[in-house]
C-alpha cells in the first residue's frame, strides 16, 4: 500500500517560489497576453485542419506548421483588409450624401410628414421633458452626419497609425501559433504535468475550455458574420450602402436584447417616411424572418457543445466580457465562467462527504 503524500516545509517554500516566479513571468508577457490567448484559441479551432495538413507532409512538423500559419494568414488578413477598406469608403460616402441631403432640405421635409409631426406633438404633450424643436433636431442630425465622416476618417487614420502595432501583434500571434501547432502533443503533456489535478479532473477542465472556446467563437462570431451578410444584403437591396451597414449590423448583433433591430428598424422607418413602403415591408420581413432566425437557430446550434452553461450564464458572461475586455470578451467571458463552473464541480466531488455531513448536521 502506497504511503500518503506528506506536505513538508520545503514543499511550501517551493510553491511560494513558484508562485513568485509565475507572477514575475506573467508581468514579462503581460503586454502580449492577448496575442498568446488568441493564438491558443485559434490553435484549438484549427488543429483538426492542421492534422490533415500534417498527414500530407508526413514527418515534417515544421513544414506542416508553416503551411497552416500561411493558410490562416491568407484566410484572416486578405478578407479583413478588403472589408475594412470598403467600410471606410462606404462610410465616408454615406456621411457626405447624408449631409448633402440634410443641407438641401430633405430633413425638413421629413419632419413635416404628418406621421412624424403627430409623433413629435404626442411626445411634447405626454413627456415631462422639454419640447422637441424640429429645427434644433435638424441641426443636431446635421452635426452628427458631418461628424460621422470625420470619425470614419479618424478611425481609418488611427488604424493606419497603429498598423505597426497591429502587424507586430499579428506576427507574434502567428509565431506562438506555429509552436502550438507543431508541439501540440508535447505542450498538452507539459500542461497536464503542471496542473496538480487528477487525470479525470484535467480531462474535464481541458475539455470544457476547448468546448467553450469553440462554441463561443462559433456561436458569437459566425452568427454575427451570418447576420451581417444577410442584413447587409437586404440593406443593399433597399438602397443603403450594403457592406457598411452589414458590418454595423454584425457589431450590433453583440448587443444584448436589442441586437440587429437597432439598425434595421430605424432604416425601415426612414423608408416608410420617404414613401418606400414596399422596401420598408421587405426590410422588416427579411430582418425578422431571415436575420432573426439566424440568431434563434444558428447561435444555439453552434453553441450546443457548451452543455454546462445555460442561457442566463451565457448572457451574463458575454455581457461582462464585453464590459471588461471589449470585443474579445465575447470569448473570454464564457471561458472564465466555464472554468469557474468546472472548479465548482470538482469542489463538490472532492468535498462531497464533508458537504453531506454539513447538510445533515
Amino acid at each position: 500500500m502506497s504511503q500518503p503524500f506528506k506536505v513538508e516545509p520545503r514543499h511550501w517554500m517551493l510553491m511560494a517560489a513558484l508562485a513568485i516566479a509565475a507572477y514575475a513571468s506573467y508581468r514579462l508577457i503581460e503586454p502580449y497576453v492577448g496575442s498568446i490567448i488568441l493564438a491558443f484559441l485559434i490553435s484549438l479551432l484549427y488543429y483538426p485542419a492542421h492534422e490533415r495538413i500534417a498527414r500530407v507532409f508526413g514527418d515534417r512538423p515544421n513544414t506542416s506548421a508553416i503551411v497552416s500559419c500561411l493558410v490562416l494568414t491568407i484566410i484572416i488578413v486578405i478578407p479583413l483588409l478588403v472589408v475594412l477598406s470598403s467600410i471606410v469608403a462606404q462610410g465616408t460616402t454615406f456621411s457626405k450624401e447624408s449631409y448633402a441631403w440634410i443641407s438641401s432640405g430633405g430633413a425638413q421635409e421629413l419632419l413635416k410628414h404628418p406621421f412624424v409631426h403627430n409623433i413629435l406633438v404626442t411626445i411634447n404633450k405626454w413627456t415631462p421633458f422639454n419640447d422637441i424643436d424640429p429645427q434644433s433636431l435638424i441641426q443636431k442630425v446635421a452635426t452628427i452626419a458631418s461628424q460621422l465622416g470625420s470619425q470614419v476618417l479618424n478611425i481609418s487614420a488611427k488604424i493606419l497609425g497603429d498598423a505597426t502595432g497591429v502587424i507586430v501583434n499579428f506576427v507574434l500571434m502567428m509565431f506562438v501559433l506555429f509552436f502550438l501547432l507543431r508541439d501540440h502533443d508535447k505542450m498538452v503533456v507539459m500542461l497536464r504535468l503542471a496542473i496538480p489535478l487528477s487525470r479525470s479532473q484535467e480531462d474535464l477542465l481541458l475539455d470544457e475550455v476547448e468546448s467553450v472556446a469553440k462554441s463561443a467563437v462559433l456561436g458569437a462570431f459566425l452568427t454575427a458574420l451570418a447576420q451581417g451578410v444577410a442584413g447587409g444584403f437586404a440593406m443593399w437591396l433597399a438602397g443603403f450602402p450594403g457592406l457598411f451597414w452589414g458590418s454595423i449590423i454584425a457589431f450590433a448583433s453583440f448587443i444584448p436584447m436589442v441586437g440587429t433591430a437597432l439598425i434595421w428598424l430605424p432604416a425601415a422607418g426612414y423608408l416608410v417616411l420617404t414613401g418606400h413602403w414596399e422596401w420598408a415591408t421587405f426590410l422588416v420581413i427579411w430582418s425578422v424572418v431571415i436575420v432573426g432566425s439566424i440568431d434563434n437557430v444558428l447561435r444555439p446550434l453552434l453553441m450546443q457543445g457548451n452543455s454546462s452553461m445555460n442561457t442566463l450564464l451565457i448572457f451574463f458572461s458575454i455581457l461582462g466580457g464585453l464590459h471588461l475586455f471589449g470585443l474579445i470578451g465575447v470569448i473570454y467571458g464564457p471561458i472564465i465562467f466555464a472554468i469557474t463552473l468546472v472548479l465548482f464541480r470538482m469542489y463538490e466531488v472532492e468535498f462531497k462527504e464533508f458537504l453531506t455531513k454539513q447538510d445533515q448536521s
Side-chain angles (χ1 to χ4, degrees):
M1 183 176 179
S2 60
Q3 295 292 329
F5 180 76
K6 183 179 179 181
V7 179
E8 300 179 3
R10 60 188 178 90
H11 295 139
W12 291 112
M13 290 294 297
L14 178 60
M15 295 298 294
L18 183 60
I20 294 172
Y23 175 74
S25 299
Y26 170 75
R27 292 301 302 269
L28 289 175
I29 65 171
E30 186 177 7
Y32 318 107
V33 167
S35 299
I36 295 171
I37 293 177
L38 278 178
F40 172 72
L41 296 176
I42 291 174
S43 70
L44 290 178
L45 297 172
Y46 186 75
Y47 191 72
H50 173 71
E51 286 184 313
R52 298 188 183 94
I53 295 175
R55 285 196 292 267
V56 173
F57 290 95
D59 193 19
R60 286 182 290 177
N62 288 329
T63 305
S64 303
I66 290 174
V67 171
S68 290
C69 290
L70 289 175
V71 170
L72 283 171
T73 300
I74 294 173
I75 292 174
I76 295 173
V77 172
I78 295 179
L80 190 61
L81 289 176
V82 173
V83 170
L84 283 177
S85 61
S86 300
I87 290 173
V88 171
Q90 288 193 4
T92 305
T93 303
F94 175 77
S95 175
K96 292 179 180 178
E97 293 177 351
S98 299
Y99 185 75
W101 175 75
I102 293 171
S103 301
S104 62
Q108 291 181 347
E109 294 181 4
L110 190 63
L111 290 175
K112 291 178 181 178
H113 192 284
F115 182 73
V116 178
H117 178 72
N118 292 334
I119 290 178
L120 292 177
V121 171
T122 303
I123 292 175
N124 291 333
K125 180 179 179 180
W126 295 104
T127 58
F129 309 108
N130 295 330
D131 291 350
I132 299 176
D133 182 18
Q135 295 301 322
S136 63
L137 184 61
I138 292 175
Q139 291 178 357
K140 290 180 180 179
V141 172
T143 303
I144 294 173
S146 62
Q147 290 177 348
L148 179 61
S150 60
Q151 289 296 329
V152 171
L153 291 176
N154 290 337
I155 292 172
S156 61
K158 189 176 188 306
I159 292 174
L160 293 175
D162 295 341
T164 302
V166 173
I167 292 173
V168 169
N169 288 328
F170 182 79
V171 171
L172 176 62
M173 184 187 72
M174 284 298 170
F175 181 72
V176 175
L177 183 63
F178 168 82
F179 289 99
L180 289 175
L181 293 175
R182 191 194 69 174
D183 303 325
H184 178 268
D185 294 335
K186 294 180 182 178
M187 289 190 175
V188 170
V189 172
M190 291 176 58
L191 187 61
R192 288 184 180 278
L193 290 175
I195 299 176
L197 299 173
S198 65
R199 176 56 63 92
S200 61
Q201 290 174 333
E202 291 171 354
D203 290 338
L204 180 62
L205 185 62
L206 295 176
D207 290 345
E208 189 70 14
V209 171
E210 181 177 2
S211 175
V212 173
K214 289 180 178 179
S215 62
V217 173
L218 294 176
F221 285 98
L222 291 186
T223 301
L225 179 62
Q227 288 186 302
V229 171
F233 176 70
M235 296 286 280
W236 173 71
L237 289 178
F240 298 97
L243 187 57
F244 175 75
W245 287 110
S247 302
I248 302 300
I249 287 173
F251 282 107
S253 68
F254 291 108
I255 301 175
M257 306 301 293
V258 181
T260 59
L262 187 65
I263 307 301
W264 61 260
L265 198 57
Y270 168 79
L271 291 172
V272 169
L273 296 176
T274 54
H276 299 88
W277 285 89
E278 64 282 359
W279 283 115
T281 304
F282 162 76
L283 186 59
V284 170
I285 294 175
W286 178 278
S287 300
V288 172
V289 176
I290 305 299
V291 179
S293 64
I294 291 175
D295 187 55
N296 296 327
V297 176
L298 185 61
R299 190 189 300 269
L301 181 65
L302 293 174
M303 298 189 74
Q304 63 184 356
N306 185 15
S307 58
S308 65
M309 294 177 64
N310 58 36
T311 304
L312 183 63
L313 288 180
I314 293 174
F315 170 77
F316 279 108
S317 66
I318 293 176
L319 195 65
L322 287 170
H323 176 71
L324 286 178
F325 305 106
L327 188 59
I328 195 64
V330 174
I331 301 175
Y332 290 176
I335 289 178
I336 292 173
F337 263 44
I339 293 175
T340 303
L341 291 177
V342 171
L343 293 176
F344 267 114
R345 289 206 297 270
M346 292 180 185
Y347 167 81
E348 291 175 355
V349 172
E350 291 296 324
F351 295 93
K352 182 178 180 180
E353 183 178 350
F354 170 77
L355 295 174
T356 302
K357 290 181 179 179
Q358 288 293 107
D359 291 337
Q360 293 176 352
S361 62

